[in-house]
Amino acid sequence: MEVELNNKTATPSNTDGSVQFSHVTAVATGWMLDFMFVSLCRRFKEGKLDGFNETLSVIEAISQSPSHRRDPHDEKTMICAFLARVMHGKQLDVLFEDDNGVMPLMSAAKIWSYLKETVEDESLFKNIMTLLLVQSVAVCLEKGQKSSAASALKWIENNCKLPKSLGVKLSTIVTQRDTYHPFLMSFSFSRLLETIQSFLNAYLEKNPSDDLLKAATKAAQSSQNLETFEDTVTQDTCLLEKANESTEKDAKNKVRLRLVEFQCSINNLICGTEMFCEYTNSASCSQHENKGHYVR
């Protein structure tokens, strides 16, 4: 009877009889995806490409698992795809689309247009779009690829709502190959990253996605407190052992000192006795000698 009970608990189809285990799995998987999404945003902020790519791979693996297939047009999935393109923005040979002429930032601009509803601040949305378009051209010029810059500008004109004034400025910059044009310096790549970070901060504040993060943080804090307590106990034990060793050494030293003092007393006593004997013997001899000399 006990064996059968163990078998049942080993492979449960439900948790407490009221919730299907598959539903629990879906919730847990959702928490994992949310945690990895927050981690991806953190890696983006830190600018650590290797860590970013590693986290993105985990998100892709979880998203493709049978237990949880996230809608490819889901907000967070789109944001992940957007961030991936921006992180590789200066790597012109990295492809995210079938069209080889679409470079990372151009593809990012396309996805950003789909994310308009996720941005409450319209001016922020427009600012990021402008930065994406400008940097799509600027990165090519920075790499010394004028033809790619011209192609990027043409693609932008055909696929994006490019303000006329912005189009004229970019066309002039491409013609002059002016990599250090004040306009490009004003709409720099670093500014693009900073502005996107502002969007992420606002998005995460509205959509915390931190259920697993809170639980993991609490567990980590408890573990850290336990480790701190254990370290304190270990330090106190070491101090106590050192104190005991010091006390034992002092006691041994005192015993040794007493033995030395005792030995010195004995030696002094022996030396005094020998000196007395020598004095007595020499005195006796002198008397005999004197007596003999006096007789003669």
Side-chain angles (χ1 to χ4, degrees):
M1 191 70 179
E2 185 178 353
V3 175
E4 292 178 0
L5 181 61
N6 289 337
N7 289 337
K8 287 181 179 180
T9 55
T11 56
S13 59
N14 54 56
T15 53
D16 61 355
S18 61
V19 181
Q20 290 294 323
F21 187 73
S22 58
H23 294 168
V24 176
T25 303
V27 172
T29 305
W31 283 3
M32 285 189 287
L33 278 171
D34 285 342
F35 176 77
M36 297 312 298
F37 174 74
V38 174
S39 299
L40 191 74
C41 293
R42 182 181 291 272
R43 295 290 179 267
F44 179 85
K45 180 179 180 179
E46 295 170 347
K48 297 180 178 179
L49 185 59
D50 291 339
F52 181 92
N53 289 336
E54 183 179 347
T55 304
L56 187 63
S57 298
V58 175
I59 292 176
E60 291 174 347
I62 298 175
S63 300
Q64 294 172 3
S65 65
S67 60
H68 185 90
R69 290 190 178 276
R70 178 171 279 184
D71 183 356
H73 299 290
D74 175 82
E75 275 185 8
K76 292 177 183 176
T77 302
M78 295 289 286
I79 292 174
C80 289
F82 171 70
L83 295 179
R85 286 155 174 77
V86 175
M87 280 292 284
H88 293 83
K90 291 193 174 186
Q91 299 174 351
L92 303 182
D93 57 338
V94 177
L95 300 176
F96 289 95
E97 300 189 20
D98 295 334
D99 186 354
N100 294 341
V102 180
M103 288 167 280
L105 290 180
M106 296 158 62
S107 181
K110 184 190 294 187
I111 294 179
W112 183 244
S113 64
Y114 298 134
L115 291 170
K116 185 175 182 179
E117 299 301 322
T118 66
V119 188
E120 294 184 353
D121 187 349
E122 186 176 353
S123 62
L124 178 63
F125 174 81
K126 290 181 179 179
N127 193 14
I128 291 178
M129 179 60 81
T130 300
L131 285 162
L132 287 168
L133 299 180
V134 171
Q135 280 301 307
S136 294
V137 175
V139 168
C140 296
L141 292 175
E142 184 181 323
K143 301 289 184 180
Q145 300 181 19
K146 181 184 176 183
S147 59
S148 296
S151 298
L153 180 57
K154 185 177 181 180
W155 181 91
I156 291 171
E157 292 172 343
N158 295 332
N159 294 274
C160 303
K161 295 180 180 180
L162 182 66
K164 186 177 180 180
S165 59
L166 179 59
V168 172
K169 286 182 180 179
L170 290 177
S171 179
T172 302
I173 291 172
V174 171
T175 302
Q176 296 176 351
R177 299 184 182 182
D178 191 355
T179 307
Y180 300 101
H181 192 282
F183 183 75
L184 298 184
M185 296 294 99
S186 178
F187 291 86
S188 63
F189 190 80
S190 60
R191 183 182 170 187
L192 170 63
L193 298 179
E194 292 172 0
T195 311
I196 292 174
Q197 187 58 51
S198 298
F199 157 70
L200 291 176
N201 292 339
Y203 183 85
L204 289 174
E205 185 176 355
K206 184 179 179 180
N207 307 275
S209 308
D210 59 355
D211 293 305
L212 183 56
L213 178 62
K214 286 181 177 178
T217 301
K218 187 176 181 180
Q221 288 174 343
S222 299
S223 175
Q224 186 175 5
N225 292 337
L226 180 60
E227 289 177 357
T228 302
F229 173 75
E230 290 177 349
D231 290 341
T232 302
V233 171
T234 302
Q235 290 176 1
D236 291 344
T237 303
C238 290
L239 290 174
L240 183 60
E241 290 177 352
K242 288 181 179 179
N244 290 336
E245 289 177 1
S246 178
T247 302
E248 290 177 0
K249 287 181 180 179
D250 290 343
K252 289 179 180 178
N253 290 335
K254 288 180 180 179
V255 172
R256 288 174 182 171
L257 181 60
R258 289 172 183 171
L259 290 174
V260 170
E261 291 176 348
F262 178 72
Q263 186 64 36
C264 288
S265 299
I266 294 175
N267 291 339
N268 291 336
L269 182 61
I270 294 172
C271 290
T273 304
E274 290 178 348
M275 290 177 65
F276 176 76
C277 292
E278 290 178 358
Y279 174 77
T280 305
N281 291 334
S282 61
S284 300
C285 292
S286 298
Q287 288 178 358
H288 287 296
E289 290 177 357
N290 290 336
K291 284 181 181 180
H293 179 72
Y294 180 75
V295 169
R296 285 192 299 265

